[in-house]
Each structure stands twice: as C-alpha cells, then as structure tokens.
Amino acid sequence: MTTALTLSGSIRKGSYNRMLQAHVGRKLEAAGVTVNAIDLSDFEMPIFNEDLEPDNVPEAAGRLAELWRTHDIVFIATPEYNGGLPPLLVNVLAWLSRQKPSPFRQAVFGIGGVSSGKYGTIWALSHLRDSLSKVGGLVAPGLLGIGPDSEVFDANGDFVEPAIIRKVDSLVHDLTHMSRG
C-alpha cells in the first residue's frame, strides 16, 4: 500500500496551511493512500549550526528523516514569509539534508501553500521546489499556490473555488501515479 507523510511549515493554531495539509491528506486517503499527518512542533531542533555536528545532532532530525525515508509520498504545505520559506521549514530542510542516507531520495514530494496575498505562496513554492530538487527530491509538477486565504475554505475545511479543487485533484493524481522507478 502507498503511504504518505503530510506536514505544514506552519505550527500556528488555525493555520490555513495546516488546513491545506489536512485537506490534501483526506484527498490522498480517498485515493487509497495511507496518510500519516505530522506536526513539526513534535520535532524540536535548534537553529542549524555545523558546530553541533557530529556530536549534538538533534535526535528529532533522525526521527523525521526516517519518517521521510519510510513514506512513498511527502506533502509539504507552506506559508510564505516575505517572499520566501518560513524559518521553521528552512531549518527542518537544513537538518534533514545532513542525514544519511538522504531522506530526499526516497519519496515523491508534493508542495502547496496558502497565503493572504493573491499570489498564494508562489515565491515560497518556487524556492521549496528548487531546494528539494537540489538535494535529490523528485517534486510533482504543478503549482498549488492558493490565496487569499480568507476566501478559499468552507466551514468543513474544503475548497470552494473549482479551479483550486481541480489543482488539488491534479496534484493528488500526480502524487499517486509518480514513482522513483
């Protein structure tokens, strides 16, 4: 059975990106995928610093890397901060990039994000796609940048705009039909 790990680059209560994480998780489950939704606040890691290596690498980095290695799909929902990725996600990627074997060479990655602006995390997603690709990640095509955030979800956490629904469905299709070979 295909497995997916979902996470959000935001740990804020009421985060629209956590809503996106949950929504994509439900869609993947409906497609027959076993989903493991995680919260990055359960993986405390100090700001990445090479001086901490090799003796003080946070055990959370190893646990998280193993989760990435043991799932077929990793979906990352990310907010956009000042046109880039949030510090939490940058730090997670930095620590995971140092883990051996690389956790980026196992899964197929899906990325998306929700923001308050009309460009809906386009810049952050571009940065994330580039970062994942440079460390060996296989990222599903398509751009799931969604905004403005206050207008996209209904009371059940589902999207209201048909174009967004089609983009999510397309991403789920790609994630369930791509493989590393």
Side-chain angles (χ1 to χ4, degrees):
M1 169 154 289
T2 303
T3 60
L5 183 70
T6 66
L7 58 112
S8 171
S10 173
I11 56 175
R12 179 181 63 79
K13 287 180 174 51
S15 162
Y16 289 111
N17 284 284
R18 289 172 73 144
M19 291 174 68
L20 174 61
Q21 173 192 2
H23 180 82
V24 170
R26 288 191 303 273
K27 291 290 195 168
L28 286 166
E29 286 175 338
V33 175
T34 300
V35 175
N36 180 8
I38 63 168
D39 184 333
L40 288 179
S41 65
D42 294 332
F43 298 88
E44 289 190 32
M45 292 178 258
I47 297 297
F48 178 76
N49 178 348
E50 285 185 64
D51 289 342
L52 297 174
E53 296 177 312
D55 299 326
N56 294 306
V57 173
E59 66 83 29
R63 283 190 299 121
L64 189 54
E66 188 59 22
L67 283 171
W68 287 39
R69 285 186 207 104
T70 58
H71 287 79
D72 303 301
I73 297 164
V74 175
F75 175 74
I76 303 170
T78 185
E80 182 172 275
Y81 291 1
N82 304 313
L85 293 172
L88 171 65
L89 193 52
V90 170
N91 196 53
V92 164
L93 295 175
W95 277 113
L96 291 184
S97 73
R98 308 296 283 195
Q99 302 301 301
K100 304 293 183 230
S102 172
F104 298 98
R105 297 177 190 249
Q106 307 302 318
V108 173
F109 290 86
I111 60 175
V114 183
S115 76
S116 59
K118 67 180 181 177
Y119 295 114
T121 70
I122 299 295
W123 296 303
L125 291 174
S126 176
H127 181 189
L128 181 56
R129 178 181 304 282
D130 191 42
S131 294
L132 290 171
S133 296
K134 284 181 178 170
V135 292
L138 177 61
V139 184
L143 194 55
L144 188 57
I146 303 166
D149 54 18
S150 62
E151 302 171 11
V152 298
F153 291 102
D154 66 16
N156 297 320
D158 293 318
F159 291 107
V160 295
E161 187 178 318
I164 296 172
I165 294 167
R166 284 191 302 275
K167 285 181 180 183
V168 170
D169 289 344
S170 178
L171 176 63
V172 168
H173 176 270
D174 289 346
L175 290 172
T176 57
H177 287 81
M178 290 176 69
S179 78
R180 290 226 169 244

